[in-house]
Structure formats: structure tokens, C-alpha cells
Amino acid sequence: MECYPEPSPREFLTEVLAAPDRLPGPSVVRWDGLAAGAAARLVAEVVPDLVEVCTSGSTGPAVRWHHSRWQLWTEAHLLAGLVRADRPRAVLSFAPPAHLYGLVATVLLPAALGVPLCYWPRYGLPAPALDAGRWLVAAIPWAFPVLLRDPSVLGRREHVTVLHSTATLPATAGEFAAATGPGRVRLVEVFGSTETGAIAHRQRTGPSLRTPAAGASEPWTLMDDVRFAPGPAGRLTVSGPRLALAPDGRPLPRWTTDDHVRRLDDRTFRFHGRRSRLIKVNGRRIDLDVLEERLRAALACADLACVPVADPLRGEHVELLVAAPGEPCLVPRRTTEVLRELGVTVGRITIVDRIDRGATGKLRGPAARRVVGP
């Protein structure tokens, strides 16, 4: 298969785990070729007792955590339980296995489901020679433009279940749902972090998926093995058996995430933004994820990023990076129009050739290092 080698499940597992910082190339892995119970035995043989996983390092130094084989395999089965009702026949994954979400969704989830995997690590690849009809897509934000640009990637698209992890759902997700057709896309969003694994989930179909912002306030439900724990007011603190292991090898008793939430009951909460993406300018709280989505809808550009910058007068202000706009002369005017509607002002607008991002889309390099928490 051109551009898509077919390593065996054992070879793929071994490659990923032997060099976690080196991403594997495009691959098709036939987990469907194993006999019943063989995938679990293979995972037990190849995956070490403890697996080291790094945070992205986008807003501070990268931190290495450990998760046990049992924790990772358990999480894969929990995710499988969220999508199994849609009867996916193959997984198309864009999520790099260097991060926890990708390690579970790309490497172990297809094994738990017993279906073939097509791993798509970069732009510019041809459509895989699989026509499963019913797909599970393990997505990160840049996956949606790929799927929109080339409808042949998913073939007949009888039904598509999209698994998306925590990051703000881009507007292109709604465009993809509309292009695929009514009732043929279901979105399963997973909320979590490197320190906690998957914490919560929610599902969307219909109008709230076609217009992602409309579903932003929909509540999240904790995963079956996760519980709320005492912690700072307004912050998400959880406990459960899949929290990362401390340096002494014991699971963390609880973890407070970088998220502002409002608990609704013992199992659900509403998410109000990440602390690292919430800033205050002249007393006004700004969610940079929401701001970026509004600007993307107004500007024809390859990419953009709102970067919070320390300000001696206002505490913080926002600078805007715009990559490869189609009409550079219109960027200031259209930006001003959007910001006026939101009651937000920005400092400098900089046109750049590209914005440096990591594999999961987070800013890195000088732009990321300028980020300041509220």
C-alpha cells in the first residue's frame, strides 16, 4: 500500500514504545486479524508495567509522568465503551502517540475494539486504501480541514464517530458534519490531561455539532471510575484509579486541573475555560479559545493565534499572530470588527509565514513562552 506500510500489531506497539518521542510514520495496523483475546495478551507482553508520558511543554517546562499498563488499557476500554454502539469498522487517527490521548486513542483503542487502524500523522498523505463505511476518527483540530478537503479519505461515510479530546472544537468540525450529511456524524468529546487521563465525556449530534459554539455550555459527565474530590473553589479536582503515578510509584490521591468549572451535581459539571487560556484585561475576562474561533471565522488565513502578553499598565493584553492570510490588507479591519462585537481590544497584529505548533496543535517556541496565566 503506497505510503501506508502495514506493520503487525506487535511491530507497531514495539515501535511506538521504544521511541515515544519519535512519531511513527503513516501506518495501517490490522488489529482485526487477531483471534479473540490475542490483543489483550499482546498488550500484556509488549507494553511495560510503567509507561512514561510527557506533558506538551506549551505553557511551561515539560513534565514526565508515569501511567501503568493497567491504567492505559483500562482507559482504552472506557473509550471503547463510549463508541462501541456506533459499530465502527476501522479507526482513522490523527493523534500522535507521543501524548497520552494519542497513546490511548491511536495505539490501544483500536486493539480494544478489534478493528484496523489507519494512522495519519501529517498533511499531504493520500487517502488510505480502506473503505470501512463506519469509521471512528480520533481527531485533533487540524484533522477537520483534512477531512473537508478530501471527501475520499473516509470513502462512503455510512457513519462517522469523531473522538475529540478537550481542545475547543473548531468551526470546521461543524462544516464536516454538514458535509457528511444529517444523522451520520456523532461527536464524542473527552476531557482530560496527562496527569489524569480521561476525566469526563459528552456527546453531540445534530444542531449543536453543526454549530460547535452552540454546544459549548453543554455539561460534561465524569467517566465511570472518576469522582470529584475536595479542591479549590471553581477548579476541577478529581480522584480515581487512573491518575498518574507519583515519583514513588503510587497513584496521585487527587489532582486539581488547570480548568475553571461549575459542578452541577455529583457526576456532571460545566466547563468555563482553561486557566492558561483565560486572561483579564482591564477587569474583563477573555477566553482566548473563543476569541480565536471567532477570528478564524472572519479571516481567510492558514492559521492564527491569540497570545497573552504581560502589560505593565493593564496586567495583560492580547497580541494576534496571523499566518498566510489571503488578503493581508483586510486583516486589521476585519479583526477590529470582530473584537468590537466582543468588546475586546488587541495590541499588535503580526503577519507571519507560519505559527509554530506541536503535534497536537498547541503553541510552542517564543509565542508559547510569552503566555502568562491570569
Side-chain angles (χ1 to χ4, degrees):
M1 183 183 304
E2 184 181 0
C3 292
Y4 286 91
E6 293 197 24
S8 70
R10 180 182 293 274
E11 290 169 339
F12 188 69
L13 274 177
T14 301
E15 178 186 3
V16 168
L17 295 167
D21 296 330
R22 187 180 70 239
L23 299 180
S27 307
V28 168
V29 183
R30 304 299 307 226
W31 287 101
D32 54 326
L34 298 183
R41 291 193 294 273
L42 182 58
V43 167
E45 289 176 19
V46 178
V47 179
D49 292 340
L50 293 180
V51 178
E52 187 177 81
V53 185
C54 237
T55 60
S56 66
S58 59
T59 56
V63 178
R64 297 186 179 275
W65 294 94
H66 287 90
H67 290 265
S68 72
R69 178 178 59 244
W70 176 88
Q71 290 175 318
L72 298 173
W73 191 229
T74 298
E75 183 158 327
H77 280 275
L78 287 169
L79 297 184
L82 297 179
V83 303
R84 188 173 276 114
D86 291 334
R87 296 178 288 111
R89 299 190 186 115
V91 174
L92 173 63
S93 182
F94 297 82
H99 302 287
L100 182 60
Y101 167 58
L103 180 60
V104 175
T106 301
V107 181
L108 297 177
L109 178 56
L113 290 169
V115 299
L117 160 74
C118 177
Y119 174 53
W120 186 305
R122 62 177 184 272
Y123 286 102
L125 294 171
L130 291 173
D131 188 8
R134 304 185 69 87
W135 284 93
L136 169 62
V137 176
I140 54 180
W142 66 262
F144 297 103
V146 170
L147 298 175
L148 275 169
R149 185 178 64 245
D150 187 356
S152 70
V153 170
L154 293 178
R156 291 174 287 118
R157 299 190 187 191
E158 178 183 335
H159 188 274
V160 181
T161 305
V162 178
L163 188 70
H164 193 257
S165 177
T166 302
T168 299
L169 194 68
T172 45
E175 297 173 31
F176 168 70
T180 302
R184 297 171 70 183
V185 175
R186 183 169 74 102
L187 172 71
V188 179
E189 294 179 277
V190 180
F191 197 108
S193 69
T194 304
E195 298 86 354
T196 63
I199 295 174
H201 64 92
R202 65 182 180 182
Q203 303 176 28
R204 285 199 254 171
T205 56
S208 68
L209 177 54
R210 291 195 296 272
T211 54
S217 63
E218 291 181 0
W220 294 82
T221 300
L222 294 179
M223 303 294 286
D224 288 345
D225 59 350
V226 176
R227 298 289 181 270
F228 290 120
R235 298 279 295 282
L236 179 58
T237 304
V238 295
S239 63
R242 289 180 293 103
L243 298 187
L245 304 182
D248 62 4
R250 292 181 299 175
L252 297 170
R254 65 179 61 86
W255 185 260
T256 298
T257 73
D258 210 25
D259 306 296
H260 290 283
V261 304
R262 180 167 66 88
R263 284 178 54 174
L264 302 178
D265 53 37
D266 288 343
R267 301 296 300 160
T268 62
F269 63 90
R270 281 197 169 92
F271 171 62
H272 293 299
R274 291 191 178 284
R275 192 166 67 93
S276 59
R277 298 294 281 165
L278 290 173
I279 68 169
K280 281 190 176 181
V281 178
N282 289 331
R284 180 182 177 85
R285 190 172 75 171
I286 301 170
D287 186 329
L288 296 182
D289 286 333
V290 172
L291 181 57
E292 287 180 359
E293 272 305 299
R294 293 290 296 272
L295 289 168
R296 284 194 183 96
L299 301 176
C301 62
D303 194 6
L304 63 81
C306 294
V307 181
V309 180
D311 186 300
L313 296 178
R314 292 174 289 183
E316 290 184 277
H317 72 271
V318 179
E319 293 189 358
L320 178 63
L321 303 178
V322 182
E327 299 175 282
C329 61
L330 296 181
V331 169
R333 191 185 79 191
R334 290 181 176 167
T335 299
T336 300
E337 291 170 355
V338 171
L339 298 178
R340 185 183 297 120
E341 292 176 9
L342 298 175
V344 178
T345 59
V346 298
R348 183 171 54 190
I349 300 174
T350 304
I351 307 296
V352 296
D353 292 331
R354 63 182 293 273
I355 295 172
D356 191 17
R357 295 184 183 274
T360 58
K362 294 181 180 179
L363 288 177
R364 63 184 181 185
R369 287 193 290 273
R370 285 190 289 169
V371 172
V372 181

